[in-house]
Amino acid sequence: MNMKRTNGQRHICLAEIIHLLLLVVLSGNTCWGQSNFLSSPRTPFSHRILDPEGGQTQIGDINGDGKNDIVVRHQRYLAWFPYPGYQRQMIQYGNFSGDRFSLVDLDQDGDIDLVSGKGQGDTNYQICWYENPRQTGKMTSSWREHVIGPQGQYIKDLMSEDINRDGQLDIIGRSHGYTHIFFRQTDGWKPRRINHPFKEGMALADLDRDGDIDVVLNGFWLETPTNPKHGEFKQHTIADKWFTQKSGTWQDNCASVAVGDINGDGLLDVLLSHSEKVGWPVAWYTVNSPAQTKTGPWREHVIANVFDWCETLQVGDINGEGHLDVMAAKFERDHKNSLSVLI
């Protein structure tokens, strides 16, 4: 996502996902074409606007009642909407930024915390986490802010995993031309910068099946070394068309990335779509062995020949039939922001 957009052009919100999502069902090795998933919905949903200001959204059980709540990050505030009433509860006011944020139990105390970018300008962004007050017994208490460290450039993707396998969750933040890994230590966070091709899209997974988490980006991936704090993160190509675009516009090399074993062969596949251009496909890429994840070739399988502005790309068993499905969602550039829920 580019920060030059108007308010009506910001990152996809839940209402836009609801109106524009297409479900693509993959069964075994069979890939359905675009005509298969344009049929009308079988059961209508009711639609309810929760917050007319909208924003980026995540889903998680914030208050520990066993029901998923909605968390929204607006530029001016963080808030959560508890099920079932979905009345807005403020987390914190501030100057928040980034294309994505993360929900994770970062302090490993049994409740879900929030990790987000903060700041403005060209190089003044930092990553912070907000401590869920549930363990105090009062969800109305303030969420304490903890600074993880400076990211520098605008944050495109933000996730958490135990990269160095020390039992502590690390923070991984992608900017245009580099990714920061903030390793958690007893005395704070140790940053590691990894330079790589432009521009956006990230997933985390053990792509080569060697027991550690790798960083999967727009058309290439970074192999985690034995010593992630000091070793070389080797770059391997999946499909170079996703990171070698040279039209000169800010839309070049913007992607949504997801990972999953689509065909059930025990190897992880990579899914890619273009988040900022028209005329690009939703596609998934396969190899025949873990070794081929490094050497290739990765074979492309097209799900939808054209799926414009695909800001959301996720994998899961959506219909409960035992196979991984793909959810792709796009937005309309003149669509007004709002936060909505389907009932």
Side-chain angles (χ1 to χ4, degrees), residues 4 20 35 40 68 137 192 215 220 222-223 244 249 258 268 286 324 342:
K4 295 181 180 179
L20 297 169
S35 61
S40 59
N68 277 329
R192 167 84 190 271
V215 183
F220 61 99
L222 305 176
E223 179 186 354
T244 57
T249 68
L268 290 176
T286 62
L324 288 181
L342 289 181

Side-chain angles (χ1 to χ4, degrees), residues 118 123-128 147-153 155 173 175 178-182 189-193:
K118 194 175 183 181
T123 60
N124 296 324
Y125 298 99
Q126 62 181 356
I127 299 176
C128 301
V147 176
I148 293 173
Q151 175 72 6
Q153 292 181 357
I155 302 165
S175 293
Y178 60 83
T179 291
H180 268 149
I181 301 177
F182 292 88
W189 301 85
K190 179 179 177 60
R192 167 84 190 271
R193 173 168 166 157

